[in-house]
Amino acid sequence: MSYEFHSDADPSLIDSFVMKQEQNTLFQCTPWAQIKENWDHLFTCVTEDDKIVAAALVLIRKMPLGTVLFYVPRGPVMDYHNEALVRFYLQHLTAEAKKAHAIALRFDPAVLSKKYAYKDRNEAHDAQNTDVIELLKKCGAEHKGYTVKIEESTQPRFNAEMDVTDDYREHLEHKTAKCIRASEHKGIEIYEGPEYIHDFEIAMHYTEVRKQVALRNEEYFAHMMKVYGDHAICMVTKLNFPKQLKKLSASIAEEKNALAQEGLKKKEKSALHQRLQNDQKEYDRLQKDYQREGKEEVITCGILAVYNDSLMELFYMGNNPDYLRMYSSYLLYAKCLDRCVELGIHHCSFGGVEGTLDDGLTLFKSNWIMNVEEYIGEFNICLNRPMYRAFDQIYPFLLKTAAKLRGKE
């Protein structure tokens, strides 16, 4: 038996292989190449007796002076404990990179160093797959280390995820379940479909303004929906002021009538008073919001997710800061997790998080029975050290600065 390297593999065969692996990731399925339109790409694989045993979507970024960067996001996908296979694949990928005048072959395998429940984050957890790191070093790869900050690597080394069970709602924290119910009670309605991509972009713009950065535009989001088709989810939440004001008005009237009844127990009367007070307060606030907005309906949140046979990735979410009290993000997360249950998907990725695990976004994600995945990190096989050093040190800074400048436009 011997290995064979293929630099122009059948995309459908690669996808079939990747989705069956423990390292299954959307970043190594071939549609991701269509999303990264500004990169060239190669669909590569290794076969043994005509059977795929390893695969890698290689993204190729054009660089100055006729050079390129070879990048394998969350890959290659293979058995990293099979030394012969690892050496064979990296040798051939490096050879392809050299032929293309690449400054480096960069990759960050979907191989875990640690995985633990967020609630156990302060406990000690032994690092796994240290032998894989050593093997990759022997193959000539330089390990970027156990980075903590998102900006320190191309892909975040820390990732938030949830192992979704059919009865996950029964295991949510009381606060999370309460926020979901509150969102529905406050009149938040969900709209789903590619026709709402413009509304989703508006929701994302709220986040851009708040963070003073430029993320992605409507064209990019529409392209994602087109590429992934039925495997893409675009949901937005909206609040209809007249509809909710009418509902609150009816509730207030009912509560007043109930309080006028004789024979109420003290506990019942107290509860009714509290509900009336809350509804009246919300009614008055909504009236002011309605007047300020000058329109009947407002977008409160949006989410864009993509899935394959066994994984869902929540890629983007935007929130209207003026309506955080509506808990729309909780409702959308719940609907995506419900979809996982419907589709039989048990792994839902919430995306990268800071390794400190204490920022606001991580705290929100931690409401969902969150697990922390720590990957072994990023590796580089340098082929043009001066160019690579300039790229590695200067390019991330330029990207970050450009994003901030676009966000202020």
Side-chain angles (χ1 to χ4, degrees):
M1 295 188 293
S2 60
Y3 296 129
E4 285 188 55
F5 174 79
H6 306 268
S7 60
D8 188 18
D10 184 332
S12 63
L13 294 179
I14 288 182
D15 290 342
S16 179
F17 170 78
V18 170
M19 286 188 285
K20 292 176 182 176
Q21 307 306 308
E22 186 178 350
Q23 299 164 36
N24 175 25
T25 168
L26 289 166
F27 300 106
Q28 276 298 296
C29 289
T30 57
W32 191 245
Q34 298 177 58
I35 301 300
K36 309 304 286 184
E37 289 183 299
N38 54 337
W39 295 62
D40 292 330
H41 62 268
L42 291 175
F43 298 137
T44 73
C45 74
V46 175
T47 58
E48 184 178 27
D49 294 337
D50 296 325
K51 179 182 178 182
I52 295 179
V53 292
L57 161 62
V58 182
L59 298 177
I60 305 172
R61 163 75 80 176
K62 291 182 180 179
M63 304 292 290
L65 305 177
T67 62
V68 298
L69 172 73
F70 267 38
Y71 175 48
V72 184
R74 292 288 189 252
V77 177
M78 61 178 163
D79 178 3
Y80 282 86
H81 296 284
N82 183 335
E83 182 172 345
L85 175 60
V86 172
R87 287 185 178 277
F88 178 87
Y89 207 179
L90 289 183
Q91 285 171 1
H92 281 78
L93 287 174
T94 301
E96 289 291 321
K98 286 180 178 178
K99 284 194 296 184
H101 306 291
I103 62 172
L105 168 62
R106 171 174 290 184
F107 56 101
D108 42 45
V111 176
L112 293 178
S113 171
K114 300 176 184 179
K115 179 177 176 178
Y116 48 87
Y118 177 78
K119 62 183 178 62
D120 298 330
R121 64 193 178 282
N122 294 322
E123 297 181 9
H125 303 280
D126 293 334
Q128 306 297 316
N129 291 309
T130 55
D131 57 326
V132 173
I133 295 175
E134 293 307 312
L135 172 58
L136 294 175
K137 287 180 179 179
K138 290 178 183 177
C139 293
E142 299 176 13
H143 186 213
K144 205 159 192 177
Y146 292 124
T147 55
V148 175
K149 296 180 180 179
I150 288 178
E151 64 186 34
E152 293 178 309
S153 54
T154 310
Q155 291 284 345
R157 197 176 71 83
F158 286 75
N159 191 67
E161 73 88 39
M162 177 175 164
D163 296 329
V164 186
T165 58
D166 291 352
D167 61 348
Y168 83 90
R169 284 197 179 228
E170 297 176 19
H171 302 285
L172 292 176
E173 292 184 1
H174 174 72
K175 172 198 167 186
T176 306
K178 185 178 179 180
C179 287
I180 297 170
R181 293 193 301 269
S183 185
E184 294 170 330
H185 176 73
K186 289 173 179 285
I188 297 301
E189 297 181 311
I190 296 176
Y191 298 83
E192 180 181 354
E195 64 268 30
Y196 295 104
I197 204 69
H198 177 68
D199 292 338
F200 171 74
E201 194 277 332
I202 292 174
M204 286 300 300
H205 185 63
Y206 294 133
T207 298
E208 291 181 318
V209 171
R210 186 174 74 253
K211 294 186 175 181
Q212 285 291 290
V213 296
L215 299 171
R216 302 291 185 178
N217 58 27
E218 183 177 340
E219 182 181 3
Y220 180 88
F221 297 134
H223 182 58
M224 282 193 75
M225 295 297 294
K226 181 178 180 181
V227 168
Y228 286 105
D230 293 340
H231 285 74
I233 298 171
C234 174
M235 294 182 187
V236 296
T237 52
K238 299 182 182 183
L239 173 65
N240 184 290
F241 291 112
K243 189 174 180 179
Q244 183 62 7
L245 286 168
K246 183 178 180 180
K247 178 181 174 183
L248 282 171
S249 181
S251 295
I252 290 169
E254 289 178 6
E255 288 152 6
K256 286 181 176 179
N257 287 335
L259 283 168
Q261 303 297 316
E262 296 182 359
L264 282 176
K265 294 180 180 179
K266 185 177 180 180
K267 190 174 182 180
E268 291 175 326
K269 194 170 184 178
S270 177
L272 277 170
H273 267 300
Q274 187 62 54
R275 281 166 49 194
L276 176 59
Q277 185 179 13
N278 291 343
D279 285 345
Q280 188 63 60
K281 182 179 179 180
E282 181 64 16
Y283 183 91
D284 294 341
R285 190 170 183 181
L286 275 183
Q287 284 277 32
K288 293 179 181 178
D289 289 336
Y290 191 7
Q291 292 173 3
R292 185 188 71 249
E293 296 286 352
K295 54 187 177 183
E296 292 190 350
E297 201 168 55
V298 66
I299 298 165
T300 60
C301 193
I303 197 166
L304 195 157
V306 176
Y307 63 91
N308 62 26
D309 289 352
S310 58
L311 165 71
M312 181 177 289
E313 184 86 35
L314 307 187
F315 273 109
Y316 298 102
M317 186 170 75
N319 232 336
N320 189 331
D322 293 332
Y323 298 93
L324 296 179
R325 72 184 192 277
M326 299 299 176
Y327 304 113
S328 304
S329 55
Y330 284 84
L331 189 58
L332 286 181
Y333 255 56
K335 291 300 179 183
C336 285
L337 292 171
D338 288 345
R339 189 65 53 82
C340 284
V341 173
E342 293 170 14
L343 295 168
I345 294 173
H346 299 296
H347 184 92
C348 184
S349 170
F350 300 159
V353 293
E354 296 288 355
T356 54
L357 303 178
D358 59 2
D359 62 293
L361 184 57
T362 303
L363 294 178
F364 167 74
K365 293 176 179 179
S366 70
N367 290 307
W368 301 91
I369 322 176
M370 183 186 110
N371 295 315
V372 178
E373 296 177 322
E374 292 187 31
Y375 293 103
I376 59 174
E378 186 172 287
F379 297 83
N380 290 277
I381 297 177
C382 296
L383 304 173
N384 183 330
R385 193 161 294 279
M387 283 287 292
Y388 170 75
R389 185 178 292 114
F391 169 79
D392 193 47
Q393 295 179 359
I394 299 173
Y395 187 66
F397 172 77
L398 294 176
L399 280 181
K400 191 174 181 180
T401 302
K404 286 186 176 181
L405 290 174
R406 290 196 304 270
K408 293 178 181 179
E409 293 177 353

